[in-house]
């Protein structure tokens, strides 16, 4: 394994050999000469020892021995003199070579910035030979200068951007900013300009359980943010942080409400602060603005070009390849590189017979091997598609690339092209030595619409002439393009957009276009119902596996496929009226309208509330921070560092002290025996058993990790993972294997666990609660089933006929209720996302700006016969355990994260709230 110093020495030799060849040549000569002199000295010593040992009698009388000793002495003195001259010369040469140390030092830092990228994605692999080859190219291609200092700056700048450009083409869009950030941090750390503790604070979450300072601005500042502020105040340059907020609440509130806080002046005494300290402040108070703040930080440190990744250029990638380096397309949702590759092969004068392709899968390995063998001999281009479908054949492909595709017997025109989705078993050596490329679907609604409008058959005038209802076709085609763009772009809003990020692609769009043309030709009146079914249920809906996502897809499609689209010239796709079908529906007219659309559309065009942008930004910030953590080995592998180990031992001890003893199941059975008429007794006992398993694992692991830190037990892989999780504030994987679902960081998780345990302990001690904390159950479904079971047994009604009616009370959580119903239950602890409950109107209403979640009042769950429920205007909101919403698909067709539907009174169409992604959550992420 190469060290940074070893790589630096190697790179120094390369740059000096290229820049000052005589100097490096003389240096190498001296090394060889010194080695030869040392060898001669050793031979002389051996010769002297031999003479002394073989001489008989008085050595002073042995003439031949005296001659040997005399000649050896003079030869040794001569060699010694040469060595002294060589040492002086070498020092002089080293002075000339050392001028280039800033280049080799800087370049070695860059290599170690890319080595851990594979922790983000297994396809991000880069070899040392690839890196050194790029290093050679940069030295040769960069601008020359006689000024040595200027030349060093040119070399560093050119190679840094060359690395950035080459690595960026092999990264997904979501990871390009992470890489820019890693480069910036790595370079500044090497210069000693980075506070590693502050950087760790920026990346990680607060793990402490209590905060001794009360939140002074709870109306706009969350408790989590306040805890982070107090934590950041431990650092010297931020030691006035929490005090400043206490003393200047109004100024900080104004800054918090700013649309661009990263560009606005920060209140005193931080008006001139910058760098990491500014990033920490923004993360603590406006988490949703971390991404633009990081971009601003990179621009100020590295320049604008490091936040503007170069566009995909297939010709540029091909230029860097050779006959022995595979070219690898890493696939992403909604892209197919084959059309681009075919066009590129035509530009390179490759005949169709010389571009041979095979889609890998079962039994296609031998065919692919024969194609490669033929291509090596003839110079054909071989394309192996979908390598992820031939996992078992990847070892054979690795062998072929290693043993068969070698320069001496490979045709210079031969190229091996591979396409694959990311997967762990893709051969590392192929990834390291190949040219990796990622060409993702265009980001942004406008770019998506342009892409759809410039593909066949939409850009073919004859296509419109083939339809008897060409005006209806033009309008509905534009609607279809808009729908295709909207459902793809909703993915950027995470689970608020779709529970599962589906891979809607061009084939879904193309088949819908052809069917639309066919139906308009076959029917005099446009059959909207048939189109809605084919497009929504078959073409696009065929990919949708979640019932609530299917409901959303159908709802969105009705916006774009209804009679108003063709009959009403003033019909718009959004409430603002900004998005509509242009009056000029010709190709050119639509093209001009698309280009006039805003670059960053508001969430309303996707059917979402303006707060969805905050959700999206928070999601992207979490990806940035977590991705960066994965590449920082000094954070994730802190075992053995005394300071880190001491802190982790103390943290583990503090958590262990706060975790109570296991519940006494025997006593619980006595107090709450199994009763036919009271299912809640069974529910609490099952809950206690589940929590005991979790508590047992937590307690044992915390004890073991403390022993491992002290060296009393071996630091196993599980304990090392636990240690890393404690360092970065993440819930350990071993705990999650026995835990209820949770997306909280470690500090929030521990606090939430303790609250759940208190809820159960109070139930044990004081009897069944008046108001159940719905979110506090390990397995909430058993509680809901228990409520229905009690009602079923009391009234002798089959349980499959029962359901819940919901009455949202006027009581906020923690309020004592007067009545104690026998068969109804009051519940609290639900959060509403995508809407708020209007306390005055008693209906769903739009969320307030910047308030993403609304804590619902106490809700009365009333069991009853479903067929007898009152028919009113309801929105049935899904209830999820966590904000991820996504889970394993169960036999019911719902995610395992899904609990049930809850009815809310509404005064707007139900589709409005479906499009908003309105749902209830049992817990938040902090």
């Amino acid at each position: 394994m190469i060290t940074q110093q070893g790589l630096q020495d190697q790179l120094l030799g390369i740059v000096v050999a290229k820049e000052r060849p005589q100097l490096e040549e003389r240096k190498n000569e001296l090394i060889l000469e010194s080695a030869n002199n040392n060898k001669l000295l050793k031979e002389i010593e051996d010769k002297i020892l031999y003479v002394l040992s073989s001489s008989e009698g008085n050595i002073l009388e042995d003439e031949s021995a005296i001659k040997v000793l005399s000649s050896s002495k003079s030869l040794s003195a001569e060699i010694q003199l040469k060595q002294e001259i060589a040492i002086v010369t070498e020092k002089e040469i080293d002075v000339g070579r050392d001028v280039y140390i800033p280049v080799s030092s800087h370049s070695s830092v860059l290599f170690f910035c890319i080595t851990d990228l594979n922790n983000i994605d297994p396809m991000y692999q880069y070899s040392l030979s690839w890196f050194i080859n790029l290093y050679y190219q940069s030295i040769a291609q960069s601008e020359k200068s006689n000024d040595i200092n200027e030349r060093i700056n040119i070399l560093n700048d050119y190679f840094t951007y060359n690395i950035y450009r080459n690595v960026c083409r092999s990264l997904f869009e979501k990871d390009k900013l992470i890489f820019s950030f890693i480069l910036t941090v790595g370079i500044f750390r090497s210069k000693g300009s980075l506070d590693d503790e502050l950087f760790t604070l920026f990346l990680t979450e607060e793990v402490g359980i209590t905060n001794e300072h009360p939140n002074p601005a709870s109306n706009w500042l969350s408790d989590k943010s306040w805890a982070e502020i107090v934590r950041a105040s431990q650092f010297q340059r931020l030691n006035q942080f929490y005090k400043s907020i206490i003393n200047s609440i109004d100024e900080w509130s104004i800054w918090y409400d700013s649309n661009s806080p990263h560009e606005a002046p920060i209140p005193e005494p931080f008006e001139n602060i910058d760098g990491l300290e500014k990033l920490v402040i923004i993360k603590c108070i406006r988490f949703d603005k971390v991404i633009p703040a990081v971009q601003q930080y990179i621009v100020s440190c590295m320049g604008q070009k490091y936040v503007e990744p170069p566009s995909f250029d297939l010709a540029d990638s091909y230029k860097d390849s050779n006959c022995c380096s595979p070219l690898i397309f890493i696939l992403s949702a909604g892209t197919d590189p084959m059309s681009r590759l075919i066009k590129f092969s035509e530009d390179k004068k490759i005949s169709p017979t010389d571009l041979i392709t095979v889609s890998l899968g079962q039994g296609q390995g031998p065919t692919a091997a024969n194609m490669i063998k033929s291509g090596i001999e003839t110079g054909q281009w071989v394309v192996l598609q979908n390598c992820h479908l031939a996992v078992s054949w990847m070892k054979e492909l690795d062998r072929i690339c290693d043993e068969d595709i070698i320069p001496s017997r490979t045709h210079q025109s031969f190229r091996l092209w591979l396409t694959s989705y990311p997967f762990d078993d893709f051969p590392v050596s192929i990834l390291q030595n190949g040219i990796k490329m990622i060409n993702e679907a265009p980001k942004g609604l406008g770019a998506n619409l342009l892409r759809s409008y410039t593909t066949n058959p939409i850009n073919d005038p004859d296509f419109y002439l083939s339809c008897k209802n060409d005006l209806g076709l033009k309008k509905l085609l534009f609607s279809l393009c808009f729908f295709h763009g909207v459902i793809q772009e909703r993915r950027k809003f995470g689970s608020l957009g779709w529970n599962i990020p589906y891979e809607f692609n061009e084939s879904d769009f193309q088949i819908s276009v052809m069917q639309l043309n066919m139906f308009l030709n076959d029917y005099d009146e446009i059959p909207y119902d048939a189109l809605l079914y084919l497009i929504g249920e078959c073409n696009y809906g065929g990919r949708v596996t979640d019932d609530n996502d299917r409901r959303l897809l159908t709802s969105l499609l009705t916006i774009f496929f209804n009679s108003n689209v063709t009959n009403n010239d003033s019909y718009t796709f959004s409430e603002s009226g900004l998005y509509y079908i242009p009056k000029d529906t010709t190709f050119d007219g639509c093209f001009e309208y698309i280009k006039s659309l805003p670059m960053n559309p508001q969430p309303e065009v996707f059917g979402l509330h303006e707060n969805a942008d905050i959700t999206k930004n928070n999601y992207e910030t979490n990806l940035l921070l977590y991705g960066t953590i994965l590449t920082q080995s000094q954070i994730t592998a802190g075992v053995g560092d005394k300071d880190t180990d001491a802190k982790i031992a103390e943290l583990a001890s503090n958590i262990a002290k706060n975790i109570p003893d296991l519940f006494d199941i025997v006593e619980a059975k006595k107090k709450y025996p199994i009763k036919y008429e009271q299912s809640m007794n069974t529910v609490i006992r099952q809950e206690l058993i589940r929590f005991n398993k979790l508590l047992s694992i937590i307690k044992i692991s915390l004890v073991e990790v403390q022993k491992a830190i002290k060296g009393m037990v071996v630091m196993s892989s599980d304990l090392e993972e636990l240690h890393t999780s404690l360092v970065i504030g993440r819930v350990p994987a071993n705990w999650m294997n026995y835990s209820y679902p949770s997306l909280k960081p470690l500090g929030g998780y521990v606090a939430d666990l303790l609250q759940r345990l208190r809820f159960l302990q109070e139930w044990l001690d004081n009897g069944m609660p008046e108001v159940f904390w719905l979110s506090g159950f390990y397995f909430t479904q058993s509680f809901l089933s228990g409520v229905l079971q009690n009602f079923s047994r009391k009234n002798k009604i089959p349980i499959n006929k029962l359901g819940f009616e919901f009455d949202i009370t006027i009581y906020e959580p923690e309020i004592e209720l007067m009545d104690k119903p026998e068969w109804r239950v009051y519940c609290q602890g639900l959060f509403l996302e995508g809407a708020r409950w209007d306390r005055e109107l008693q209906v769903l209403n739009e969320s307030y700006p910047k308030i993403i979640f609304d804590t619902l009042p106490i809700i009365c769950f009333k069991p009853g016969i479903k067929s007898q429920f009152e028919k009113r205007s309801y929105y049935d909101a899904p209830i999820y355990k966590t904000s991820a919403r996504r889970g394993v698909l169960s036999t019911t067709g719902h995610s395992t994260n899904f609990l049930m539907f809850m009815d809310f009174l509404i005064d707007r169409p139900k589709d409005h709230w479906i499009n908003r992604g309105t749902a209830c959550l049992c817990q938040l992420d902090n």
Side-chain angles (χ1 to χ4, degrees):
M1 183 176 178
I2 192 166
T3 64
Q4 188 157 340
Q5 185 58 51
L7 178 60
Q8 184 176 323
D9 292 342
Q10 186 176 351
L11 296 177
L12 179 61
I14 292 170
V15 70
V16 174
K18 286 290 184 181
E19 294 291 298
R20 302 278 298 276
Q22 302 90 347
L23 208 62
E24 189 64 14
E25 187 178 334
R26 182 64 184 134
K27 169 78 173 177
N28 291 332
E29 286 175 0
L30 284 175
I31 291 171
L32 291 173
E33 189 178 318
S34 177
N36 190 47
N37 288 337
N38 287 330
K39 181 184 175 185
L40 288 173
L41 284 172
K42 181 69 171 60
E43 290 175 355
I44 291 170
E45 289 174 3
D46 291 342
K47 194 172 183 182
I48 291 171
L49 288 172
Y50 174 76
V51 168
L52 291 173
S53 61
S54 60
S55 177
E56 295 178 359
N58 190 348
I59 194 171
L60 296 175
E61 296 176 357
D62 189 338
E63 228 175 282
S64 61
I66 290 171
K67 284 182 181 179
V68 168
L69 291 172
S70 178
S71 62
S72 296
K73 182 180 178 183
S74 60
L75 186 58
S76 176
E78 186 181 331
I79 292 172
Q80 199 69 39
L81 182 61
K82 285 182 180 179
Q83 287 287 71
E84 289 173 2
I85 295 170
I87 289 171
V88 173
T89 307
E90 191 172 2
K91 284 182 179 178
E92 292 173 358
I93 292 172
D94 283 343
V95 170
R97 290 178 86 249
D98 288 352
V99 172
Y100 292 94
I101 284 179
V103 176
S104 63
S105 176
H106 176 85
S107 301
S108 66
V109 168
L110 300 184
F111 178 75
F112 287 96
C113 285
I114 65 175
T115 51
D116 287 330
L117 287 174
N118 64 313
N119 291 332
I120 299 176
D121 192 289
M123 305 298 273
Y124 298 164
Q125 303 276 354
Y126 307 91
S127 68
L128 180 60
S129 59
W130 170 86
F131 178 84
I132 288 176
N133 183 48
L134 204 60
Y135 187 64
Y136 273 115
Q137 288 179 17
S138 299
I139 295 170
Q141 296 169 1
S142 56
E143 182 186 343
K144 308 301 178 188
S145 174
N146 293 326
D147 185 326
I148 189 66
N149 291 323
E150 183 182 356
R151 176 59 177 158
I152 286 170
N153 289 331
I154 289 171
L155 284 170
N156 283 344
D157 291 345
Y158 189 91
F159 185 51
T160 304
Y161 188 68
N162 209 8
I163 283 286
Y164 173 73
R165 185 179 61 84
N166 275 270
V167 172
C168 266
R169 73 180 174 201
S170 64
L171 300 178
F172 290 109
E173 288 295 328
K174 67 181 179 65
D175 298 323
K176 289 179 180 178
L177 183 62
I178 295 175
F179 178 55
S180 296
F181 190 41
I182 292 166
L183 269 184
T184 307
V185 167
I187 290 169
F188 275 73
R189 180 184 286 122
S190 69
K191 295 176 180 177
S193 304
L194 187 84
D195 185 333
D196 272 316
E197 287 192 11
L198 191 64
F199 181 56
T200 302
L201 178 136
F202 173 67
L203 295 181
T204 58
E205 296 279 355
E206 168 62 40
V207 186
I209 298 170
T210 58
N211 184 359
E212 60 185 20
H213 302 282
N215 186 349
S218 56
N219 59 324
W220 58 268
L221 189 64
S222 70
D223 289 341
K224 180 189 176 185
S225 294
W226 178 244
E228 290 288 337
I229 289 166
V230 173
R231 178 186 173 213
S233 301
Q234 299 169 6
F235 288 83
Q236 185 177 358
R237 286 196 68 193
L238 297 173
N239 61 3
Q240 298 297 312
F241 192 9
Y242 82 92
K243 293 178 183 176
S244 172
I245 292 176
I246 292 172
N247 297 328
S248 309
I249 288 180
D250 292 340
E251 288 85 347
W252 280 102
S253 178
I254 293 169
W255 185 79
Y256 167 82
D257 286 328
S258 168
N259 289 328
S260 303
H262 57 288
E263 295 175 349
I266 301 175
E268 293 183 354
F270 305 111
E271 62 273 15
N272 296 319
I273 206 162
D274 58 3
L276 273 180
E277 287 85 0
K278 183 177 180 180
L279 291 183
V280 169
I281 290 175
I282 290 172
K283 182 203 170 189
C284 289
I285 298 182
R286 283 296 299 273
F287 192 77
D288 60 307
K289 293 299 180 182
V290 166
I291 294 289
V294 166
Q295 289 173 329
Q296 194 179 61
Y297 173 71
I298 294 167
V299 169
S300 65
C301 295
M302 302 280 286
Q304 183 70 29
K305 61 184 179 182
Y306 286 94
V307 293
E308 297 173 350
S311 57
F312 178 78
D313 188 345
L314 184 54
D316 190 47
S317 300
Y318 178 80
K319 184 179 69 176
D320 290 343
S321 72
N322 57 58
C323 62
C324 297
S325 59
L327 293 108
I328 309 155
F329 286 106
I330 302 174
L331 302 176
S332 61
T335 59
D336 182 3
M338 279 309 298
S339 57
R340 188 182 286 255
L341 179 56
I342 290 169
K343 185 178 184 308
F344 179 70
S345 68
E346 292 170 354
D347 294 341
K348 301 299 288 185
K349 310 301 182 188
I350 302 294
S351 67
T353 55
D354 286 336
L355 180 69
I356 50 179
T357 69
V358 62
S359 183
L360 293 177
Q362 190 171 7
Q364 293 300 314
T367 304
N370 290 331
M371 288 167 58
I372 293 173
K373 183 179 179 182
S374 170
I376 289 172
E377 296 171 356
T378 61
Q380 293 172 304
W381 285 8
V382 177
V383 186
L384 306 184
Q385 295 179 270
N386 302 320
C387 292
H388 57 282
L389 301 179
V391 176
S392 59
W393 190 70
M394 286 296 99
K395 288 183 180 178
E396 176 61 15
L397 178 62
D398 193 16
R399 186 203 62 78
I400 290 171
C401 291
D402 187 43
E403 298 178 8
D404 297 345
I405 307 178
I406 55 178
S408 59
R409 57 186 184 206
T410 302
H411 195 290
Q412 289 300 305
S413 298
F414 171 74
R415 291 294 185 277
L416 176 62
W417 303 81
L418 308 172
T419 75
S420 177
Y421 280 100
F423 70 106
D424 291 335
D425 294 321
F426 198 101
V428 172
S429 62
I430 295 178
L431 287 171
Q432 288 186 338
N433 298 312
I435 306 294
K436 297 178 289 297
M437 300 163 286
I438 295 180
N439 180 28
E440 291 186 83
K443 301 297 179 189
L445 182 61
N448 219 302
L449 286 168
L450 284 174
R451 186 186 193 191
S452 296
Y453 246 81
T454 52
T455 57
N456 282 322
I458 296 180
N459 61 355
D460 183 1
D462 294 337
F463 177 68
Y464 301 97
L465 297 175
S466 68
C467 182
K468 66 181 184 182
N469 185 357
D470 69 318
L471 181 60
L473 178 65
K474 288 174 181 176
K475 288 189 173 184
L476 289 174
L477 267 181
F478 187 86
S479 272
L480 181 61
C481 291
F482 220 103
F483 168 73
H484 181 71
V486 162
I487 63 173
Q488 285 193 311
E489 287 300 301
R490 272 185 75 110
R491 282 187 305 222
K492 70 184 181 182
F493 296 97
S495 59
L496 192 63
W498 297 102
N499 289 356
I500 299 169
Y502 302 100
E503 297 175 2
F504 302 119
N505 60 31
E506 289 302 308
S507 63
D508 304 321
F509 175 72
Q510 293 291 343
I511 190 64
S512 298
V513 169
M514 302 311 295
Q515 288 173 345
L516 176 62
N517 185 39
M518 180 183 70
F519 272 75
L520 291 181
N521 272 324
D522 291 348
Y523 292 87
D524 293 330
E525 290 192 9
I526 300 172
Y528 287 105
D529 289 342
L531 287 169
L532 287 171
Y533 181 79
L534 278 174
I535 297 173
E537 297 291 337
C538 301
N539 301 344
Y540 288 93
R543 298 184 184 276
V544 179
T545 55
D546 184 282
D547 268 7
N548 289 317
D549 282 342
R550 185 178 295 277
R551 180 177 74 162
L552 170 61
L553 184 76
T554 304
S555 174
L556 289 171
L557 187 58
T558 56
I559 297 173
F560 302 95
F561 275 76
N562 61 68
S563 57
N564 286 321
V565 171
T566 51
N567 300 332
N568 185 352
D569 289 339
S570 60
Y571 179 72
T572 62
F573 295 141
S574 66
E575 292 180 4
S576 69
L578 183 63
Y579 302 94
Y580 53 86
I581 297 175
K583 291 182 180 179
D584 182 2
T585 53
T586 62
F587 177 83
D588 291 336
C590 291
F591 199 80
E592 286 303 312
Y593 170 74
I594 291 168
K595 289 199 292 185
S596 72
L597 293 175
M599 184 176 295
N600 297 308
Q602 293 298 313
E604 55 123 14
V605 71
F606 308 107
L608 296 164
H609 187 266
E610 63 182 33
N611 284 349
D613 264 343
I614 299 175
T615 303
K616 172 182 71 73
N617 294 341
N618 288 343
Y619 175 71
E620 291 176 348
T621 298
N622 279 319
L623 286 180
L624 172 76
L625 297 179
Y626 185 63
T628 306
I629 285 172
L630 292 176
T631 65
Q632 303 300 303
S633 54
Q634 77 281 359
I635 295 176
T636 58
V639 180
D641 180 88
K642 289 183 180 179
D643 291 339
T644 302
D645 282 348
K647 290 177 183 177
I648 296 309
E650 183 182 358
L651 175 62
S653 175
N654 288 338
I655 295 175
K657 287 175 185 175
N658 281 276
I659 300 293
D661 295 333
L662 272 59
F663 293 108
D664 189 335
I665 304 296
V666 175
E667 283 298 314
K669 285 181 179 179
K670 292 178 183 177
K671 193 168 184 178
Y672 296 98
I674 294 175
K675 288 184 179 180
Y676 177 80
E677 66 276 8
Q678 184 49 275
S679 297
M680 288 297 128
N681 290 1
T682 305
V683 170
I684 187 173
R685 285 169 56 182
Q686 289 175 343
E687 288 291 303
L688 297 179
I689 291 169
R690 292 188 180 101
F691 274 103
N692 272 358
K693 286 182 181 177
L694 173 59
L695 290 176
S696 177
I697 292 297
I698 292 175
K699 284 176 172 292
I700 291 170
S701 62
L702 289 174
V703 170
E704 289 297 304
V705 78
Q706 290 179 74
K707 287 181 179 178
I709 289 171
K710 294 174 183 176
M712 296 167 64
V713 297
V714 176
M715 181 69 80
S716 65
S717 58
D718 285 344
L719 290 176
E720 193 168 343
E721 194 276 334
L722 172 61
H723 185 281
T724 300
S725 297
L726 293 174
V727 170
I728 65 176
R730 183 182 64 200
V731 182
N734 194 33
W735 295 9
M736 290 309 300
N737 291 337
Y738 295 87
S739 174
Y740 50 87
S742 178
L743 299 178
K744 293 179 180 290
L746 182 59
Y749 178 84
V750 173
D752 176 64
L753 174 61
L754 295 177
Q755 192 176 352
R756 289 171 187 253
L757 298 176
R758 282 194 295 271
F759 165 66
L760 290 174
Q761 190 64 54
E762 288 174 8
W763 186 346
L764 268 176
D765 296 340
N766 306 320
M768 226 172 6
E770 292 180 3
V771 180
F772 289 92
W773 183 31
L774 194 66
S775 310
F777 290 98
Y778 189 111
F779 188 60
T780 316
Q781 289 93 329
S782 68
F783 163 72
L784 297 171
S785 297
V787 176
L788 292 177
Q789 205 167 54
N790 281 349
F791 185 82
S792 170
R793 288 172 176 174
K794 180 178 180 180
N795 296 284
K796 297 187 171 46
I797 302 171
I799 197 169
N800 63 333
K801 293 185 178 182
L802 300 179
F804 285 108
E805 285 187 293
F806 305 92
D807 181 15
I808 303 177
T809 72
I810 60 172
Y811 303 108
E812 297 299 327
E814 310 304 331
I815 298 291
E816 282 195 27
L817 302 177
M818 299 300 293
D819 62 327
K820 297 183 180 180
E822 293 182 17
W823 46 269
R824 293 176 295 171
V825 292
Y826 287 100
C827 297
Q828 65 178 20
L830 289 180
F831 303 92
L832 193 59
E833 183 180 22
R836 67 179 172 88
W837 179 249
D838 193 315
R839 268 71 169 170
E840 293 182 9
L841 301 177
Q842 291 290 295
V843 293
L844 278 186
N845 210 333
E846 297 289 7
S847 302
Y848 290 124
K850 290 191 176 72
I851 300 178
I852 303 172
F853 302 103
D854 180 27
T855 303
L856 287 172
I858 293 171
I859 304 161
C860 182
F861 284 53
K862 300 186 290 187
I865 301 171
K866 287 184 282 188
S867 60
Q868 297 177 1
F869 288 167
E870 183 182 357
K871 302 295 182 185
R872 298 175 69 183
S873 184
Y874 283 121
Y875 168 64
D876 45 342
I879 302 177
Y880 295 100
K881 296 176 184 177
T882 70
S883 67
R885 304 193 183 189
R886 184 179 183 177
V888 179
L889 190 67
S890 64
T891 53
T892 62
H894 292 294
S895 155
T896 50
N897 207 345
F898 171 82
L899 277 181
M900 62 185 298
F901 286 105
M902 178 177 166
D903 295 336
F904 286 89
L905 278 170
I906 53 175
D907 58 1
R908 300 185 188 214
K910 184 187 292 187
D911 283 353
H912 176 83
W913 302 112
I914 293 174
N915 299 342
R916 284 282 193 261
T918 303
C920 291
L921 307 178
C922 287
Q923 58 174 297
L924 304 182
D925 296 351
N926 49 39

